Structures are given as C-alpha cells and as structure tokens.
Amino acid sequence: MVIGKSDSIVNLLTYQLRKRNLDPVVILGSQFPDDQEDYYYSVLRRIMMCVEAGRPLILTDLEIIYGSLYDLWNQNYIVVGSKDN
C-alpha cells in the first residue's frame, strides 16, 4: 500500500510497474454525488476481476469503498478444491 498526497504518485507507480512488464489498472473515484451507488458496485466488480486475474491495482479517491475491501485485503477467503486441481 502506498499513501500519498499528490496525484503524481499514480503516474510514478504506473511508470514503475510498466517498466517491470506489469500493466496496472488505475481506478479513480467519482466526485459526482449521483454516481455514488452505481459507481460503487461497478468499482467493486472491477477490483474483484483484477484481483482474480492477478493484475496490479492503483486505487485513488475511493474512500466510499475502502471499508468494503477489508476482507479481500486481509485474505479472509474460502479455498475450494485442492492444490492438485
């Protein structure tokens, strides 16, 4: 996790990840009040898809969803199947 007060941190992270052949997904928060509910679910879906695919994520200005990511980032998940399959 990187916390910064400047928008340039997004550019720096993106540059560094691309240099290592990792293509990050940048998700920006919406500042429009009418977008909050629909945008919230759309962003959560995108985050889940990126995590499942192993893509690096850069999230910024998404305070409305950070609490919903608690279980994901703390690795509270259920393993289905075995290592063999």
Side-chain angles (χ1 to χ4, degrees):
M1 177 184 297
V2 176
I3 299 173
K5 293 187 182 261
S6 170
D7 290 336
S8 63
I9 193 70
V10 172
N11 293 330
L12 179 63
L13 283 172
T14 302
Y15 173 75
Q16 290 297 322
L17 288 168
R18 286 187 177 149
K19 239 171 67 168
R20 291 171 174 77
N21 292 325
L22 298 170
D23 190 26
V25 175
V26 178
I27 303 176
L28 304 171
S30 173
Q31 302 303 318
F32 298 107
D34 294 340
D35 284 351
Q36 298 304 312
E37 189 171 327
D38 291 336
Y39 191 69
Y40 173 89
Y41 292 113
S42 170
V43 167
L44 285 177
R45 276 194 306 272
R46 285 183 65 197
I47 290 171
M48 289 189 316
M49 288 174 26
C50 289
V51 169
E52 287 174 2
R55 300 236 2 234
L57 282 166
I58 299 174
L59 308 176
T60 185
D61 295 329
L62 288 167
E63 286 81 11
I64 62 167
I65 66 157
Y66 291 150
S68 299
L69 300 176
Y70 180 80
D71 286 337
L72 178 65
W73 302 139
N74 283 307
Q75 299 180 359
N76 293 329
Y77 54 87
I78 298 171
V79 176
V80 178
S82 67
K83 291 181 181 181
D84 297 335
N85 57 15

